[in-house]
Amino acid sequence: MQKIPFSEKELEIVGRVPNRARPNDAKPVFNFPVSGRECFEAMYRKENIWLPYGVENGIFAPSVIPDDIARGFIVDATIKDYPMEKFGGKDMFGVEWEYVPVAGGSMEKRGVPHILGSDVFGWKDKLTFPDLNSWDWDESARVNRDFLNNGKANMLWLLNGCGFERLISFMGFEDAAVALLDEEQEDDLKELFQALTDLYCDLVDKCCEAYGDGISGFTVHDDWGSQRSPFFSEECAETFLVPGMKQLTDHIKSKGKIADLHSCGHVEDRIESIIRGGWQSWTPMPMNNTAKLYEEYGDQIILGVMDEPDPSKTDAELAKAFVDKFYSPEKPCTLSLYAGAVQTEEYCKAMYEASRNK
């Protein structure tokens, strides 16, 4: 990509994006020389234009996918049709969810037995896989055409997990964790994860057919850890999860789309499994040492990074120091979405200008 010289005119604010961490201080959108989407996608080709700070990409969670209604997470043109009272219900596998307003999300409905019970034996007779063709993709594509024409890199979020998180919804956490350790369940569990991977590849196909260039990629959810540590060993990850993830990420990339992982918890010790799974990017939560991860692995995966704040520096000085430390063509990164608390207008302006000049 040809380099675009920085112009002071770019610092004109042409819009604002809500910042959940600072409700009264929305993030500014500057007079970019190219669209936010172009900047975001170029980063994955290691053709940096500026350091993305959260206004360049957007979330797309269409209501045509039952999981989005069940989990109370709809981000599309139909959002006005789904007040809080409509959230919850059955996901694509028939697991029942209950929306909890105070938590802003859903949990599996209390008192309803898990579909698989306490083990994965006989899962083919217990699980009913969804018929993706029965969903009204044409209508979803029609109503979301303008919604997706927003100049952002729209990332389609796939919730409820493609591996371990989905297994939890079928069995409960304790039995799902035991299944990873029980040698007698290993063959059945591998078959189940393979079937889930095949389904997700088909789901990617359906989304690409429906939304085409309206989406830049997929953010696939699969939580791997608690506040303190991963849920499982590297051996478990490599045995059960990495093969399917690699198949899925290869499929996503074959469609010309970005493969982004959303995995909550303290899972920095599983970074090598995440990379071997083929993920192009991941934004670790704040309990992970993102600066260390960037230093050691930033040339292999794009990370959302946070740095330790220095109370002796102004916001502008903090932003410039961040750019000096983390902005590199060989090791691109984004400012972590969990760093919203520091993103004042002064911070965003200094970060944008410094990274454009660099």
Short mmCIF file of all heavy atoms in Angstrom, two decimals, residues 299-336:
data_model
loop_
_atom_site.label_atom_id
_atom_site.label_comp_id
_atom_site.label_asym_id
_atom_site.label_seq_id
_atom_site.Cartn_x
_atom_site.Cartn_y
_atom_site.Cartn_z
N ASP A 299 4.72 -10.88 16.83
CA ASP A 299 5.02 -11.10 15.43
C ASP A 299 4.23 -12.28 14.85
O ASP A 299 4.28 -12.52 13.64
CB ASP A 299 6.52 -11.33 15.23
CG ASP A 299 7.04 -12.53 16.02
OD1 ASP A 299 6.37 -12.94 17.00
OD2 ASP A 299 8.10 -13.05 15.66
N GLN A 300 3.47 -13.00 15.72
CA GLN A 300 2.74 -14.18 15.27
C GLN A 300 1.22 -14.00 15.34
O GLN A 300 0.48 -14.76 14.70
CB GLN A 300 3.13 -15.39 16.11
CG GLN A 300 4.61 -15.73 16.07
CD GLN A 300 4.95 -16.86 17.01
OE1 GLN A 300 4.44 -17.98 16.87
NE2 GLN A 300 5.80 -16.59 17.99
N ILE A 301 0.75 -13.05 16.13
CA ILE A 301 -0.69 -12.83 16.30
C ILE A 301 -0.90 -11.37 16.67
O ILE A 301 -0.10 -10.78 17.39
CB ILE A 301 -1.26 -13.78 17.38
CG1 ILE A 301 -2.79 -13.69 17.44
CG2 ILE A 301 -0.63 -13.51 18.74
CD1 ILE A 301 -3.42 -14.77 18.33
N ILE A 302 -1.99 -10.79 16.18
CA ILE A 302 -2.33 -9.41 16.52
C ILE A 302 -3.06 -9.40 17.86
O ILE A 302 -4.07 -10.09 18.03
CB ILE A 302 -3.21 -8.77 15.43
CG1 ILE A 302 -2.42 -8.66 14.13
CG2 ILE A 302 -3.72 -7.39 15.87
CD1 ILE A 302 -3.24 -8.20 12.95
N LEU A 303 -2.54 -8.65 18.80
CA LEU A 303 -3.09 -8.62 20.16
C LEU A 303 -3.69 -7.26 20.48
O LEU A 303 -3.18 -6.22 20.03
CB LEU A 303 -1.99 -8.94 21.17
CG LEU A 303 -1.36 -10.33 21.06
CD1 LEU A 303 -0.06 -10.39 21.86
CD2 LEU A 303 -2.33 -11.40 21.55
N GLY A 304 -4.74 -7.26 21.26
CA GLY A 304 -5.23 -6.04 21.87
C GLY A 304 -4.44 -5.79 23.13
O GLY A 304 -4.47 -6.62 24.05
N VAL A 305 -3.70 -4.69 23.18
CA VAL A 305 -2.71 -4.49 24.23
C VAL A 305 -3.12 -3.38 25.19
O VAL A 305 -3.68 -2.35 24.78
CB VAL A 305 -1.33 -4.16 23.61
CG1 VAL A 305 -0.30 -3.91 24.68
CG2 VAL A 305 -0.88 -5.30 22.70
N MET A 306 -2.84 -3.59 26.47
CA MET A 306 -2.95 -2.56 27.50
C MET A 306 -1.57 -2.37 28.11
O MET A 306 -0.79 -3.31 28.19
CB MET A 306 -3.94 -2.96 28.59
CG MET A 306 -5.37 -3.04 28.17
SD MET A 306 -6.46 -3.54 29.54
CE MET A 306 -6.30 -2.15 30.66
N ASP A 307 -1.28 -1.16 28.58
CA ASP A 307 -0.01 -0.90 29.26
C ASP A 307 -0.31 -0.37 30.65
O ASP A 307 -1.40 0.17 30.92
CB ASP A 307 0.82 0.11 28.46
CG ASP A 307 2.30 0.03 28.81
OD1 ASP A 307 2.69 -0.92 29.49
OD2 ASP A 307 3.05 0.93 28.40
N GLU A 308 0.65 -0.50 31.54
CA GLU A 308 0.47 0.02 32.89
C GLU A 308 0.44 1.55 32.84
O GLU A 308 1.37 2.18 32.32
CB GLU A 308 1.63 -0.43 33.78
CG GLU A 308 1.61 -1.92 34.12
CD GLU A 308 0.43 -2.29 34.99
OE1 GLU A 308 -0.01 -1.45 35.81
OE2 GLU A 308 -0.07 -3.43 34.85
N PRO A 309 -0.62 2.18 33.36
CA PRO A 309 -0.70 3.65 33.33
C PRO A 309 0.31 4.29 34.27
O PRO A 309 0.61 3.74 35.33
CB PRO A 309 -2.14 3.94 33.78
CG PRO A 309 -2.52 2.75 34.60
CD PRO A 309 -1.81 1.57 33.99
N ASP A 310 0.83 5.42 33.86
CA ASP A 310 1.78 6.19 34.67
C ASP A 310 1.08 7.48 35.12
O ASP A 310 0.86 8.38 34.30
CB ASP A 310 3.03 6.51 33.85
CG ASP A 310 4.09 7.24 34.67
OD1 ASP A 310 3.77 7.74 35.76
OD2 ASP A 310 5.25 7.31 34.20
N PRO A 311 0.68 7.55 36.39
CA PRO A 311 -0.09 8.73 36.86
C PRO A 311 0.68 10.04 36.75
O PRO A 311 0.08 11.11 36.84
CB PRO A 311 -0.40 8.38 38.32
CG PRO A 311 0.63 7.36 38.71
CD PRO A 311 0.95 6.60 37.47
N SER A 312 1.99 9.98 36.54
CA SER A 312 2.76 11.22 36.44
C SER A 312 2.71 11.83 35.03
O SER A 312 3.16 12.95 34.83
CB SER A 312 4.23 10.96 36.81
OG SER A 312 4.87 10.15 35.83
N LYS A 313 2.12 11.09 34.08
CA LYS A 313 2.08 11.57 32.69
C LYS A 313 0.68 12.02 32.30
O LYS A 313 -0.32 11.53 32.83
CB LYS A 313 2.54 10.46 31.74
CG LYS A 313 4.00 10.09 31.88
CD LYS A 313 4.40 9.03 30.85
CE LYS A 313 5.88 8.69 30.94
NZ LYS A 313 6.29 7.66 29.95
N THR A 314 0.63 12.96 31.38
CA THR A 314 -0.66 13.39 30.83
C THR A 314 -1.18 12.31 29.90
O THR A 314 -0.45 11.40 29.49
CB THR A 314 -0.50 14.70 30.04
OG1 THR A 314 0.31 14.46 28.87
CG2 THR A 314 0.14 15.78 30.90
N ASP A 315 -2.47 12.43 29.52
CA ASP A 315 -3.04 11.46 28.60
C ASP A 315 -2.29 11.46 27.27
O ASP A 315 -2.06 10.40 26.66
CB ASP A 315 -4.52 11.77 28.36
CG ASP A 315 -5.38 11.39 29.55
OD1 ASP A 315 -4.88 10.68 30.44
OD2 ASP A 315 -6.55 11.80 29.58
N ALA A 316 -1.92 12.63 26.79
CA ALA A 316 -1.19 12.72 25.53
C ALA A 316 0.18 12.04 25.64
O ALA A 316 0.61 11.33 24.73
CB ALA A 316 -1.02 14.18 25.12
N GLU A 317 0.84 12.23 26.76
CA GLU A 317 2.14 11.60 26.96
C GLU A 317 2.01 10.07 27.05
O GLU A 317 2.84 9.33 26.51
CB GLU A 317 2.80 12.15 28.23
CG GLU A 317 3.27 13.59 28.09
CD GLU A 317 3.70 14.20 29.41
OE1 GLU A 317 3.27 13.69 30.48
OE2 GLU A 317 4.47 15.18 29.40
N LEU A 318 0.95 9.61 27.71
CA LEU A 318 0.70 8.17 27.80
C LEU A 318 0.47 7.57 26.42
O LEU A 318 1.00 6.50 26.09
CB LEU A 318 -0.51 7.90 28.69
CG LEU A 318 -0.34 8.08 30.20
CD1 LEU A 318 -1.70 7.96 30.89
CD2 LEU A 318 0.63 7.04 30.75
N ALA A 319 -0.32 8.26 25.61
CA ALA A 319 -0.63 7.76 24.27
C ALA A 319 0.62 7.69 23.40
O ALA A 319 0.84 6.70 22.70
CB ALA A 319 -1.69 8.64 23.61
N LYS A 320 1.44 8.74 23.45
CA LYS A 320 2.66 8.75 22.64
C LYS A 320 3.63 7.67 23.10
O LYS A 320 4.29 7.02 22.28
CB LYS A 320 3.31 10.13 22.72
CG LYS A 320 2.52 11.22 22.01
CD LYS A 320 3.15 12.60 22.23
CE LYS A 320 2.31 13.69 21.57
NZ LYS A 320 2.85 15.05 21.84
N ALA A 321 3.70 7.44 24.41
CA ALA A 321 4.57 6.39 24.94
C ALA A 321 4.08 5.02 24.48
O ALA A 321 4.88 4.13 24.17
CB ALA A 321 4.61 6.46 26.46
N PHE A 322 2.76 4.85 24.42
CA PHE A 322 2.19 3.58 23.95
C PHE A 322 2.58 3.33 22.50
O PHE A 322 2.99 2.22 22.13
CB PHE A 322 0.67 3.61 24.11
CG PHE A 322 0.00 2.29 23.83
CD1 PHE A 322 -0.29 1.42 24.87
CD2 PHE A 322 -0.33 1.92 22.54
CE1 PHE A 322 -0.90 0.19 24.62
CE2 PHE A 322 -0.95 0.70 22.28
CZ PHE A 322 -1.23 -0.16 23.32
N VAL A 323 2.46 4.35 21.67
CA VAL A 323 2.82 4.22 20.26
C VAL A 323 4.29 3.89 20.10
O VAL A 323 4.68 3.01 19.32
CB VAL A 323 2.46 5.50 19.48
CG1 VAL A 323 3.02 5.46 18.06
CG2 VAL A 323 0.95 5.69 19.45
N ASP A 324 5.14 4.58 20.86
CA ASP A 324 6.59 4.31 20.78
C ASP A 324 6.90 2.87 21.15
O ASP A 324 7.78 2.24 20.54
CB ASP A 324 7.35 5.25 21.73
CG ASP A 324 7.40 6.68 21.22
OD1 ASP A 324 7.19 6.88 20.00
OD2 ASP A 324 7.65 7.59 22.03
N LYS A 325 6.17 2.33 22.11
CA LYS A 325 6.48 1.00 22.64
C LYS A 325 5.87 -0.12 21.82
O LYS A 325 6.49 -1.19 21.66
CB LYS A 325 5.98 0.93 24.09
CG LYS A 325 6.37 -0.34 24.83
CD LYS A 325 5.94 -0.24 26.30
CE LYS A 325 6.33 -1.47 27.10
NZ LYS A 325 5.91 -1.36 28.52
N PHE A 326 4.67 0.11 21.29
CA PHE A 326 3.92 -1.01 20.71
C PHE A 326 3.60 -0.90 19.23
O PHE A 326 3.11 -1.87 18.64
CB PHE A 326 2.60 -1.21 21.48
CG PHE A 326 2.78 -1.58 22.91
CD1 PHE A 326 2.45 -0.69 23.91
CD2 PHE A 326 3.26 -2.82 23.27
CE1 PHE A 326 2.60 -1.03 25.25
CE2 PHE A 326 3.42 -3.18 24.59
CZ PHE A 326 3.09 -2.28 25.59
N TYR A 327 3.83 0.23 18.60
CA TYR A 327 3.40 0.38 17.21
C TYR A 327 4.55 0.05 16.28
O TYR A 327 5.51 0.81 16.17
CB TYR A 327 2.90 1.80 16.96
CG TYR A 327 2.25 2.00 15.60
CD1 TYR A 327 1.12 1.27 15.25
CD2 TYR A 327 2.76 2.91 14.69
CE1 TYR A 327 0.52 1.46 14.02
CE2 TYR A 327 2.16 3.10 13.46
CZ TYR A 327 1.04 2.37 13.13
OH TYR A 327 0.42 2.54 11.91
N SER A 328 4.46 -1.08 15.60
CA SER A 328 5.54 -1.54 14.73
C SER A 328 4.95 -2.25 13.52
O SER A 328 4.04 -3.06 13.66
CB SER A 328 6.46 -2.51 15.49
OG SER A 328 7.30 -3.21 14.61
N PRO A 329 5.46 -1.97 12.32
CA PRO A 329 4.95 -2.64 11.12
C PRO A 329 5.09 -4.17 11.19
O PRO A 329 4.23 -4.90 10.70
CB PRO A 329 5.81 -2.06 10.00
CG PRO A 329 6.29 -0.76 10.52
CD PRO A 329 6.47 -0.95 11.99
N GLU A 330 6.18 -4.63 11.81
CA GLU A 330 6.40 -6.07 11.89
C GLU A 330 5.53 -6.73 12.96
O GLU A 330 5.29 -7.94 12.90
CB GLU A 330 7.88 -6.37 12.21
CG GLU A 330 8.87 -5.93 11.14
CD GLU A 330 9.11 -4.43 11.18
OE1 GLU A 330 8.92 -3.82 12.26
OE2 GLU A 330 9.45 -3.86 10.12
N LYS A 331 5.08 -5.94 13.94
CA LYS A 331 4.28 -6.47 15.04
C LYS A 331 3.09 -5.54 15.30
O LYS A 331 3.05 -4.84 16.29
CB LYS A 331 5.14 -6.60 16.30
CG LYS A 331 6.30 -7.58 16.16
CD LYS A 331 7.26 -7.49 17.33
CE LYS A 331 6.66 -7.96 18.61
NZ LYS A 331 7.64 -8.06 19.73
N PRO A 332 2.11 -5.55 14.38
CA PRO A 332 0.96 -4.66 14.59
C PRO A 332 0.14 -5.09 15.79
O PRO A 332 0.13 -6.26 16.18
CB PRO A 332 0.16 -4.82 13.29
CG PRO A 332 0.55 -6.16 12.78
CD PRO A 332 1.98 -6.35 13.17
N CYS A 333 -0.54 -4.14 16.40
CA CYS A 333 -1.45 -4.43 17.50
C CYS A 333 -2.57 -3.41 17.49
O CYS A 333 -2.53 -2.42 16.75
CB CYS A 333 -0.72 -4.42 18.85
SG CYS A 333 -0.26 -2.77 19.43
N THR A 334 -3.57 -3.64 18.32
CA THR A 334 -4.61 -2.66 18.54
C THR A 334 -4.57 -2.23 20.00
O THR A 334 -4.00 -2.93 20.84
CB THR A 334 -6.02 -3.22 18.24
OG1 THR A 334 -6.30 -4.27 19.18
CG2 THR A 334 -6.09 -3.78 16.83
N LEU A 335 -5.17 -1.09 20.30
CA LEU A 335 -5.36 -0.71 21.69
C LEU A 335 -6.50 -1.56 22.23
O LEU A 335 -7.58 -1.61 21.64
CB LEU A 335 -5.71 0.77 21.79
CG LEU A 335 -5.94 1.29 23.21
CD1 LEU A 335 -4.67 1.19 24.04
CD2 LEU A 335 -6.42 2.74 23.18
N SER A 336 -6.26 -2.26 23.32
CA SER A 336 -7.24 -3.19 23.87
C SER A 336 -8.59 -2.52 24.09
O SER A 336 -8.67 -1.38 24.57
CB SER A 336 -6.73 -3.75 25.21
OG SER A 336 -7.74 -4.51 25.84
#
